[in-house]
Amino acid sequence: PRVSLRTGKIVGVEALLRWLHPERGMLMPGDFISAARHSGLIVPMGYWAMNRLCSYILQMNEKGIAPLRISMNVSHEQFVAPKFVSTIESILNSMNVSGERFEFELAETELVDNLASITHEMQLLEKLGIRFALDDFGTGFSSLPQLQQLPITSLKLDSSHVQQVTENDDSANVVRAMIYLAHGLELKVV
């Protein structure tokens, strides 16, 4: 869940992919994402996740659960895959789910390194109602003009910055500065 610090209410959820391996048990993304990338399965895995999340949204609707935005990581490989936008639009249409229910998270390092190749896709997806978050903020070298030109609505601060805020004044100051920067750009902070 994503909880508002102001209200204490759940304002969204983040979808986290796990693999229940028959022999090794529950595997975290670090245990299989690299293999999925190298084997060419990262793109179909992303579409599978999108379909699955649409099914969950329909189940939440049936149970009367208030509409929440679901945040999911989208790899650079998926963004540059042929027909990425049309496939996402097809999934949403076939499942009768609004794009407004989704936020795609893009890793800062992947976004900065590949800005030219995904900007157009981001703009097309934004027209479907999908929002964007810059994940792992503070680990790459984002340029402020780039941030202002992209349809990003949230910055997700990297945990390496947040973990020490109560014990280290420098960490607290860096996080405070990132929050002020985000708010100055009218972005939400996670």
Side-chain angles (χ1 to χ4, degrees):
R2 193 176 280 183
V3 178
S4 168
L5 293 178
R6 285 197 180 113
T7 66
K9 294 183 180 184
I10 295 174
V11 294
V13 294
E14 181 173 352
L16 301 172
L17 191 60
R18 303 292 185 256
W19 177 16
L20 184 55
H21 190 278
E23 296 170 6
R24 296 173 52 197
M26 190 66 68
L27 299 179
M28 303 306 250
D31 297 325
F32 62 87
I33 293 295
S34 180
R37 277 195 163 105
H38 286 65
S39 65
L41 293 175
I42 195 77
V43 173
M45 192 165 63
Y47 293 139
W48 174 86
M50 185 76 179
N51 273 292
R52 190 68 174 230
L53 291 172
C54 285
S55 294
Y56 290 148
I57 287 170
L58 295 175
Q59 290 174 23
M60 289 188 288
N61 291 346
E62 287 174 8
K63 293 179 180 182
I65 297 172
L68 296 171
R69 189 174 301 273
I70 296 178
S71 180
M72 66 179 282
N73 291 308
V74 177
S75 71
H76 170 70
E77 294 91 344
Q78 190 154 15
F79 252 96
V80 298
K83 300 182 181 181
F84 172 63
V85 174
S86 62
T87 302
I88 293 297
E89 186 173 20
S90 176
I91 292 169
L92 292 171
N93 289 337
S94 69
M95 300 292 283
N96 198 27
V97 172
S98 169
E100 293 177 359
R101 297 293 297 270
F102 286 94
E103 176 182 71
F104 287 174
E105 294 182 13
L106 306 166
E108 181 183 19
T109 51
E110 288 185 355
L111 178 70
V112 170
D113 293 344
N114 302 288
L115 191 63
S117 63
I118 63 174
T119 301
H120 181 67
E121 283 77 8
M122 288 177 74
Q123 293 166 342
L124 293 173
L125 291 166
E126 182 187 35
K127 289 178 183 176
L128 297 175
I130 296 171
R131 289 191 185 168
F132 294 93
L134 187 58
D135 198 8
D136 303 326
F137 184 70
T139 60
F141 299 100
S142 297
S143 123
L144 296 182
Q146 287 174 337
L147 284 179
Q148 290 174 305
Q149 294 171 0
L150 296 173
I152 293 171
T153 56
S154 302
L155 294 182
K156 289 187 68 186
L157 305 186
D158 188 68
S159 62
S160 65
H161 298 294
V162 178
Q163 289 173 343
Q164 300 294 318
V165 295
T166 59
E167 300 153 8
N168 182 304
D169 287 342
D170 287 341
S171 292
N173 289 332
V174 167
V175 168
R176 189 176 298 111
M178 288 191 285
I179 291 170
Y180 288 148
L181 168 71
H183 288 170
L185 295 171
E186 299 180 7
L187 300 173
K188 294 183 182 207
V189 179
V190 178

